[in-house]
Amino acid sequence: MNAIDYLLSINTQIIKLGLERTIRLNHACGQPDKNLSIIQIAGTNGKGSVCAIISKILQNANYKVGLYTSPHLFKLNERIRINGKPISDEDIDIFVKLYKKNIESIQSSFFETMTILALWYFNKHDVDYAIMETGLGGRLDSVSICNPIVTGMTSISLDHTEILGNSLTTIALEKCGIMKNDTPCFSAKQKPTVVKILQSQAMHNKVPLRFIDSNKIEQININLNGKKQKENAALAISIVKYIISDIKDELIHNSLKSILWHGRNQIIKKNPLVLFDVAHNTDGFNSFLQYYQSLKLKRKSILVIAIYERKNISSIYKKLEKNFEHIICTSTNGKKPMHVKILKNNFSSSHSVEIIKNPCLAINNALNRLEKNDCLAILGTHCLGPAVSQIFNISFDNI
């Protein structure tokens, strides 16, 4: 078994809350986080986009930048990058050979192991900044063993309720776990309930808390589609300007115009138009639909969708029916996908909906129905990445 297969064999079905195992593995690996200038990002949606935008700007400012995000679209290597380039198989192999015994004796989870691998790799290659996306929550997430120089909070909404809690208040409190004493935290625009919690926790932890200037969001031009990406860019810019106070606006502008982040309102093909978005919760689907409706498409529209069984998007199904004439329910090899029959039954019996379990066959079936000016949207999970990559012959390596 090679190193990547070994990492993927670690049980990803079980989420182990708590920092003890991550701390122990970090110590076994020489505490690589201690030598890093870390930027930690948490929130519900947009975390990966904010991390990628910060990385692009700092990279264009001639810094060596580590980027840790999750999940991956096609290859595990995508989760860990330096200056946009994924970690090599060789580096992963070295890490596993060095610390396999520790991983097994500590019984660290997949995500805990990946977090330490990222820190070890960034330390090994002496990056100037390490941008770390919080995986789930904040308080008990592996990334929170770090002592960042600055933190960022994207918009907070309901997601992972089976783990983080069923209320916005509970989830926001968990996200606030990334706040560290005297470490500035920048936040995107939040719901009033969340604002109060952030302010209360910031005061309690003596954290300088700053919200982005919503009035300047529309002025932002970015090579990522949708209004939400403008908000993500505004948060990223605020963080970068805190780190590098004299950074040039022209450099930021040029970075935003060249940023590439896959699976976010991504135009895969034109004529017919093919869109790929990893929306997987209510806010994510609403953000995609806001962008989709802004296109004012007049022709046939087809949706290929797969989601996880734990996702509660009950308010979204009717909206999808209003926007797509035909819907194809498919499945993936991801953890606990919603069964295609259950997914289909969430849509109205009167709407045009069918099941094609194989995602490649589902996408090809949709493409064969389209004419030049029609549209196909592929939505619901990162695990549709392999099918998208295979059919359209694209790589997610370069960003």
Side-chain angles (χ1 to χ4, degrees):
M1 184 185 295
N2 64 36
I4 292 177
D5 287 339
Y6 170 74
L7 289 175
L8 291 170
S9 74
I10 298 174
N11 195 340
T12 59
Q13 303 292 333
I14 299 171
I15 295 172
K16 300 178 178 180
L17 295 178
L19 303 180
E20 179 189 352
R21 289 172 302 277
T22 312
I23 291 169
R24 287 176 62 195
L25 186 58
N26 189 47
H27 275 272
C29 298
Q31 294 182 278
D33 61 308
K34 298 300 181 186
N35 300 319
L36 297 171
S37 294
I38 292 169
I39 302 162
Q40 184 179 358
I41 306 298
T44 302
N45 291 318
K47 299 188 297 290
S49 296
V50 171
C51 288
I53 296 166
I54 294 171
S55 176
K56 186 68 172 182
I57 297 171
L58 292 178
Q59 183 183 333
N60 284 355
N62 295 319
Y63 291 98
K64 190 174 186 180
V65 187
L67 175 64
Y68 176 55
T69 58
S70 62
H72 57 273
L73 285 167
F74 186 58
K75 294 193 299 184
L76 175 142
N77 310 57
E78 298 165 23
R79 295 172 179 244
I80 302 171
R81 303 173 184 262
I82 293 179
N83 284 2
K85 184 179 180 181
I87 185 173
S88 68
D89 291 354
E90 291 75 17
D91 273 306
I92 295 174
D93 188 55
I94 291 169
F95 175 81
V96 170
K97 283 180 178 177
L98 284 172
Y99 302 112
K100 184 177 180 181
K101 289 182 179 178
N102 301 103
I103 293 166
E104 293 177 352
S105 64
I106 294 167
Q107 296 186 317
S108 55
S109 70
F110 170 76
F111 188 79
E112 290 165 349
T113 305
M114 289 298 297
T115 299
I116 300 303
L117 167 57
L119 295 170
W120 171 85
Y121 179 64
F122 297 153
N123 181 60
K124 177 187 175 185
H125 290 275
D126 196 25
V127 300
D128 296 306
Y129 294 99
I131 305 165
M132 306 289 291
E133 178 188 352
T134 309
L136 189 146
R139 181 175 64 93
L140 299 175
D141 186 85
S142 307
V143 174
S144 292
I145 68 161
C146 301
N147 286 305
I149 59 172
V150 62
T151 62
M153 196 75 73
T154 68
S155 62
I156 296 174
S157 59
L158 294 176
D159 196 15
H160 298 291
T161 53
E162 74 285 2
I163 297 167
L164 300 179
N166 289 311
S167 73
L168 199 56
T169 299
T170 305
I171 291 174
L173 283 169
E174 287 295 324
K175 304 284 185 185
C176 284
I178 70 165
M179 290 182 174
K180 302 292 197 304
N181 284 359
D182 300 320
T183 301
C185 178
F186 291 82
S187 175
K189 184 180 179 181
Q190 304 285 359
K191 298 178 177 70
T193 301
V194 176
V195 170
K196 289 180 181 179
I197 292 167
L198 291 181
Q199 289 173 333
S200 173
Q201 291 299 301
M203 186 177 298
H204 181 264
N205 293 310
K206 299 178 181 177
V207 171
L209 176 64
R210 307 168 193 178
F211 290 88
I212 61 170
D213 185 351
S214 300
N215 295 322
K216 295 182 178 180
I217 289 174
E218 287 302 324
Q219 302 169 19
I220 293 174
N221 291 313
I222 183 169
N223 188 41
L224 296 174
N225 298 314
K227 183 179 178 180
K228 275 292 181 182
Q229 293 296 359
K230 289 178 180 283
E231 294 180 15
N232 292 333
L235 178 57
I237 292 167
S238 297
I239 292 169
V240 169
K241 286 189 171 182
Y242 165 76
I243 298 168
I244 308 167
S245 58
D246 61 348
I247 195 164
K248 304 296 184 186
D249 286 339
E250 183 181 3
L251 184 147
I252 292 173
H253 174 77
N254 291 336
S255 300
L256 296 182
K257 293 299 288 181
S258 61
I259 179 73
L260 178 62
W261 190 233
H262 301 286
R264 279 74 177 178
N265 295 336
Q266 184 176 2
I267 297 175
I268 298 292
K269 186 177 183 292
K270 296 181 179 180
N271 301 320
L273 180 64
V274 178
L275 303 171
F276 174 42
D277 192 272
V278 295
H280 55 273
N281 54 37
T282 299
D283 272 20
F285 276 104
N286 279 329
S287 293
F288 170 79
L289 288 172
Q290 182 184 51
Y291 165 66
Y292 179 79
Q293 290 162 1
S294 74
L295 299 176
K296 293 181 169 49
L297 301 172
K298 302 294 185 183
R299 296 294 300 275
K300 186 193 300 176
S301 57
I302 298 177
L303 168 66
V304 171
I305 182 172
I307 62 172
Y308 296 136
E309 65 177 19
R310 66 180 184 272
K311 298 298 180 182
N312 179 11
I313 59 165
S314 55
S315 64
I316 297 299
Y317 294 112
K318 287 197 178 300
K319 293 180 182 179
L320 293 174
E321 291 176 5
K322 288 179 181 178
N323 284 278
F324 296 97
E325 294 175 30
H326 184 67
I327 297 169
I328 301 175
C329 299
T330 189
S331 189
T332 70
N333 293 324
K335 55 184 179 182
K336 298 183 179 179
M338 183 179 287
H339 194 281
V340 284
K341 288 184 179 179
I342 296 174
L343 178 57
K344 181 178 185 292
N345 288 339
N346 282 310
F347 293 102
S348 304
S349 57
S350 59
H351 199 77
S352 177
V353 185
E354 69 175 309
I355 291 173
I356 302 178
K357 288 185 178 180
N358 183 298
C360 286
L361 293 179
I363 294 170
N364 276 321
N365 179 285
L367 288 171
N368 289 334
R369 297 167 183 253
L370 299 179
E371 296 180 10
K372 184 177 179 180
N373 295 320
D374 295 341
C375 176
L376 165 64
I378 304 166
L379 301 179
T381 167
H382 287 75
C383 292
L384 286 168
V388 171
S389 176
Q390 179 181 329
I391 291 171
F392 299 102
N393 193 29
I394 61 173
S395 168
F396 300 121
D397 282 355
N398 297 320
I399 62 169

